[in-house]
Amino acid sequence: MACVEDYEARALSLLGKHVGDYVKSGAFQDQTLRDNVEAFKKYLLRPRMLRGLPLSEIDTRVKLLGEEVAFPVCVSPMGAQCMVHHEGEAGTAKACARLQTCMVLSSWTSTPVSEVAQAGQGGLQWFQLYVLKDRQLTKELVKEAERAGFKAIVLTVDTPESSRRPVDIRNQFRLPKHVTCAAIAQLSKFKVDGEVHHLISSVVDSTLSWATVDWLRSVTSLPIVLKGILTAEDALEALKHDIQGILVSNHGGRQLDGVLAAIDALPEVVRAVRGRVEVYMDGGVRQGTDVLKALALGARAVFVGRPVMWGLACKGSEGAEEVLKLLRDELRVAMVLSGQLSSDMNQIMRVLA
């Protein structure tokens, strides 16, 4: 398979309609889902020639919160990965560890946190957190992540409730019976009834506020990254609450439809924080040139979700690794052809027209 779209087509042929639709679809009319991908086309590269760059010195390494990864393409949090392949989150963790990049594990993981940590030994792992109505259970999730060796908490801030997803409603989508919310189930008597939107509304705290961020800081010493910030106003407010990173994201087009594409929101957030915290983005990345454009606009790294899920569905851990390798190698080619020696956004030259 030659590109991410090939993996998507193959994965959709293997998955049942309901699961395939659940992974690929977005909220409402899918406008933001489409825009996330299409928006990259507006940004044109401005290559420099005759740079005399020794190819052996092309450097894709970058540091995230002080930890080095081999290339700036990381894995976004995605729940219930066991519904697309039996290896699930453990398979994704193995792929990330082999390639030395970062994986963010979802609170809705279908594999126990300790098993994912074990599978991903040697790789950088962060834990994505939903603040639950049960604050003690939320704290226990954080402590479990700390004990397992996760290096940061990624707090999702754009989901006070689940959005309306017409495709899932038409399909009457429910999680397959073999899939559980392993992290939460391990720490409580909570039972998953299979209905995803009910799950979110029944357990997630809809009253999330900046005070909640302060509460999270009070229960962990790990770096905190806010996922779901799209505006300068929220980015500036975030700086007042002892956070270390912002992941510019619209939840892959699965929450509020009609918002800015993630790549379009990125420059506003970067300008607002002025280097005081690290900024990343996810949403719509499908090829190496997309990665380079995001880096040129100020992202320290990009995170990808659906492409890795397609790879996992095709071949388990091997497929997830193939997709990440594909994006890594495409990024390297884009850097070479642009005359760009480093992928570190602090060193990147002007490569956008």
Side-chain angles (χ1 to χ4, degrees), residues 279-306:
V279 179
Y280 327 102
M281 67 81 61
D282 82 353
V285 173
R286 296 294 183 270
Q287 56 188 338
T289 50
D290 295 340
V291 181
L292 185 57
K293 290 172 183 180
L295 299 179
L297 289 170
R300 181 166 288 274
V302 303
F303 288 74
V304 295
R306 289 182 182 89

Side-chain angles (χ1 to χ4, degrees), residues 148-307:
F150 287 75
K151 300 297 186 183
I153 301 296
V154 179
L155 176 64
T156 294
V157 300
D158 62 2
T159 312
E161 70 173 275
S162 181
S163 186
R164 186 172 179 83
R165 300 175 189 165
V167 172
D168 293 342
I169 294 170
R170 294 189 196 104
N171 288 341
Q172 297 183 314
F173 177 77
R174 300 174 69 85
L175 290 174
K177 290 183 179 179
H178 70 280
V179 176
T180 64
C181 293
I184 296 175
Q186 269 195 319
L187 298 172
S188 71
K189 296 180 181 179
F190 178 77
K191 301 294 183 183
V192 178
D193 69 1
E195 210 289 297
V196 176
H197 305 292
H198 174 259
L199 166 66
I200 293 174
S201 64
S202 63
V203 301
V204 172
D205 185 353
S206 64
T207 66
L208 208 65
S209 70
W210 292 107
T212 313
V213 180
D214 297 333
W215 171 82
L216 178 59
R217 169 49 67 219
S218 75
V219 301
T220 185
S221 61
L222 290 177
I224 295 173
V225 176
L226 298 187
K227 178 179 182 289
I229 299 294
L230 291 170
T231 64
E233 293 89 342
D234 282 344
L236 289 170
E237 182 64 31
L239 296 177
K240 303 174 186 177
H241 296 272
D242 195 15
I243 59 101
Q244 286 65 52
I246 291 174
L247 177 49
V248 175
S249 171
N250 53 39
H251 216 108
R254 293 167 75 85
Q255 280 298 100
L256 180 60
D257 200 23
V259 300
L260 281 174
I263 191 66
D264 288 336
L266 175 63
E268 176 178 335
V269 173
V270 169
R271 286 193 299 268
V273 303
R274 292 188 289 120
R276 287 170 285 183
V277 297
E278 295 184 3
V279 179
Y280 327 102
M281 67 81 61
D282 82 353
V285 173
R286 296 294 183 270
Q287 56 188 338
T289 50
D290 295 340
V291 181
L292 185 57
K293 290 172 183 180
L295 299 179
L297 289 170
R300 181 166 288 274
V302 303
F303 288 74
V304 295
R306 289 182 182 89

Side-chain angles (χ1 to χ4, degrees), residues 76-85 88-89 92 103 110 309 312:
S76 299
M78 299 171 288
Q81 293 182 35
C82 285
M83 72 179 170
V84 304
H85 194 277
E89 291 83 359
T92 301
M103 173 187 177
S110 50
M309 197 75 113
L312 186 69

